[in-house]
Amino acid sequence: MNDSKLELITNLFEEDEIRSVWDSEKGDYYFSVVDVISVLTGSNTPKRYWTDIKRRLVNEGSQLYDKIVQLKIKSLKDGKRYLTDTLDTKGILRLIESVPSPKAEPFKLWLANLGSERVNEVFDPEIAINRAVDYYRKRGYDDKWIKARLTGIVDRFKLTDIWKDGGIDKSLEYAILTNEIYRTWSGMNANEYKEFKGIRKESLRDNMTDLELALTNLGEIATRELASVHKPYGLSQNKEIARRGGKIAKNTRDDLEKELGKNVVTSKNNINIKYIEKN
């Protein structure tokens, strides 16, 4: 299977997360089997449930066992990627036959719609954009925030293109430059910012206020424009430009906080949950 043809996606069935991978070459999804079993059965131990089913499939000589594909998918617990048992759409439909559940029929309909929507997006990309907008709306984001978020995504692509032209080609280098912008305007790198907001694997930008998002976007746009003019090359030169771009956002933040009389960087998040540390 060609990794370049795979795209990690999170899909929701009745508000439950189903980790999945879209194979553009095959034109089909591969779904995390454990996630599917979890939503179908409501089991607190879906991994054990799946282990029992696999054992039965082997004993029965079922061809479904041979259809299992292990792909690296991000864990819902710690955000790291682990090899995970997956099945394509046909495989999941066959699996449902082995899992008695009142949700079987609704899940089948969901699968059918999901596949057709994804194929349609290839011919009409606006469908994907509409899906993203609908995703954010359902989670309570207002249209002003959504517009800023989508604009920021486009601006981020423009910035990474500039960095590529400046000799940046490693994911670690992108992270270093991004952290330089964050640290300069907010006083925190991305991980520190997420800790401040009480989030872990969730998207930092999805948990920003509209002002925080605007300052983040400003820092990246300023960095992009400065890089376009000064043509930095290599990590060291690009890091200096990123710091200068972040400083422009920091100046704006200082002016805004002086007028408002309060800090615009907040620990509030949008996930409506609180992690509890366990010793």
Side-chain angles (χ1 to χ4, degrees), residues 120-185:
N120 289 339
E121 286 173 12
V122 175
F123 299 98
D124 185 0
E126 185 178 343
I127 296 174
I129 298 172
N130 291 338
R131 182 159 56 90
V133 172
D134 186 55
Y135 178 92
Y136 284 124
R137 278 182 169 176
K138 285 181 177 178
R139 279 147 189 78
Y141 296 93
D142 61 40
D143 288 348
K144 178 182 176 183
W145 185 96
I146 295 171
K147 181 179 180 181
R149 180 73 175 95
L150 296 180
T151 300
I153 291 172
V154 175
D155 289 334
R156 174 72 183 178
F157 277 119
K158 293 179 181 178
L159 174 60
T160 55
D161 286 342
I162 287 288
W163 280 342
K164 286 178 184 176
D165 292 340
I168 303 302
D169 58 4
K170 297 181 177 65
S171 58
L172 177 61
E173 293 176 328
Y174 289 116
I176 290 172
L177 295 177
T178 300
N179 274 331
E180 197 64 39
I181 298 173
Y182 273 131
R183 187 183 294 107
T184 303
W185 82 258

Side-chain angles (χ1 to χ4, degrees), residues 82 94-95 119 180 188 193 213 233 268:
Y82 298 98
R94 289 178 61 185
L95 174 67
V119 172
E180 197 64 39
M188 298 174 282
Y193 209 153
L213 194 59
Y233 196 87
K268 292 180 180 179

Side-chain angles (χ1 to χ4, degrees), residues 6 8 11 14 21-22 30 33 55-56 59 71 90 98 114 116 121 157 182 202 206 231 239 262 270 278:
L6 302 181
L8 291 170
N11 289 302
E14 296 183 353
V21 177
W22 173 256
Y30 284 87
V33 178
R55 187 180 298 115
R56 191 170 74 241
N59 292 336
L71 298 174
K90 286 184 178 180
S98 305
L114 197 65
S116 61
E121 286 173 12
F157 277 119
Y182 273 131
E202 297 82 8
D206 281 359
K231 310 294 184 186
K239 191 174 179 180
K262 65 177 183 180
N270 297 313
K278 292 183 179 180

Side-chain angles (χ1 to χ4, degrees), residues 34-77:
V34 170
D35 292 354
V36 173
I37 288 176
S38 178
V39 300
L40 288 177
T41 66
S43 171
N44 293 325
T45 55
K47 287 185 178 179
R48 185 181 302 172
Y49 199 111
W50 172 229
T51 299
D52 292 339
I53 292 178
K54 280 201 294 185
R55 187 180 298 115
R56 191 170 74 241
L57 293 175
V58 172
N59 292 336
E60 294 173 352
S62 172
Q63 292 182 345
L64 181 59
Y65 184 84
D66 297 327
K67 300 294 183 182
I68 298 170
V69 176
Q70 284 204 323
L71 298 174
K72 279 197 172 183
I73 300 182
K74 185 183 294 184
S75 167
L76 297 176
K77 292 183 178 180

